[in-house]
Amino acid sequence: YSITEEKITAVPHADGCSIWILSHKWNTNEFYANLLTTTGLGAQIISAAGTVHSGTTNGTLGCLKASPDGKKLACASYEPIHLVELFDFDNATGIVSNALTLSHFKAYGVEFSPDNSKLYVTQETEFAASPPPHPLYQYDLASGVPATIIASKNIIGRINAVYGGA
């Protein structure tokens, strides 16, 4: 049987009526896309893209989010792989492709701006007796150029909590 991670999101289908339910399979680089229509669940689409998520069960932790226009996915993987990836998503076919590794740090939360131009990521930092301020990063996606997107990483705030969260 297949073990999926806690990463799950829903994306409107290109038809404006159906919904894609996406998740990530543990110990693989596979995304599952299940189309939910008015008649029920359709066939599952499996896409192999990006890094294999493996290691301890903490590696299953992290968020999977879709951009508001349904064209991009962001995936944060906690540990041991410490990774943030950005993907293209075809909301007509359910295919995930074109992985772009943005950062190698212990990330948990990811979210897109309403206009699809920015990605926000929370970084978990090690804590001792008191919680540190966890960085909140912003990436500018507007250029569409991988090197420019990666270089746009900027700390825009800090979260003073035990965990940065989602």
Side-chain angles (χ1 to χ4, degrees):
Y1 69 97
S2 299
I3 298 174
T4 58
E5 303 170 29
E6 74 174 1
K7 298 165 181 62
I8 188 168
T9 194
V11 183
H13 187 278
D15 68 11
C17 181
S18 305
I19 302 288
W20 289 106
I21 302 167
L22 285 113
S23 60
H24 196 281
K25 183 178 177 186
W26 177 237
N27 279 327
T28 73
N29 67 339
E30 295 177 347
F31 288 88
Y32 292 166
N34 295 279
L35 186 61
L36 179 62
T37 69
T38 57
T39 60
L41 281 176
Q44 185 173 74
I45 306 297
I46 300 173
S47 302
T51 303
V52 172
H53 295 193
S54 62
T56 68
T57 55
N58 278 348
T60 65
L61 302 177
C63 293
L64 176 66
K65 293 287 180 109
S67 59
D69 65 1
K71 301 295 183 186
K72 295 283 187 190
L73 294 174
C75 185
S77 296
Y78 193 66
E79 62 184 4
I81 60 175
H82 304 123
L83 188 65
V84 179
E85 290 180 300
L86 181 68
F87 300 89
D88 289 335
F89 181 67
D90 185 329
N91 65 346
T93 65
I95 301 292
V96 178
S97 62
N98 299 325
L100 173 62
T101 299
L102 296 178
S103 295
H104 287 282
F105 57 72
K106 191 187 293 188
Y108 188 85
V110 290
E111 188 61 78
F112 289 90
S113 63
D115 67 357
N116 310 293
S117 69
K118 305 280 191 296
L119 177 66
Y120 302 96
V121 180
T122 59
Q123 179 181 1
E124 298 293 324
T125 55
E126 301 303 322
F127 54 91
S130 62
H134 303 285
L136 173 62
Y137 292 100
Q138 175 182 281
Y139 292 87
D140 188 338
L141 309 177
S143 72
V145 177
T148 303
I149 294 169
I150 293 166
S152 74
K153 179 174 123 179
N154 185 33
I155 295 175
I156 61 165
R158 297 200 178 266
I159 301 164
N160 287 309
V162 175
Y163 299 104

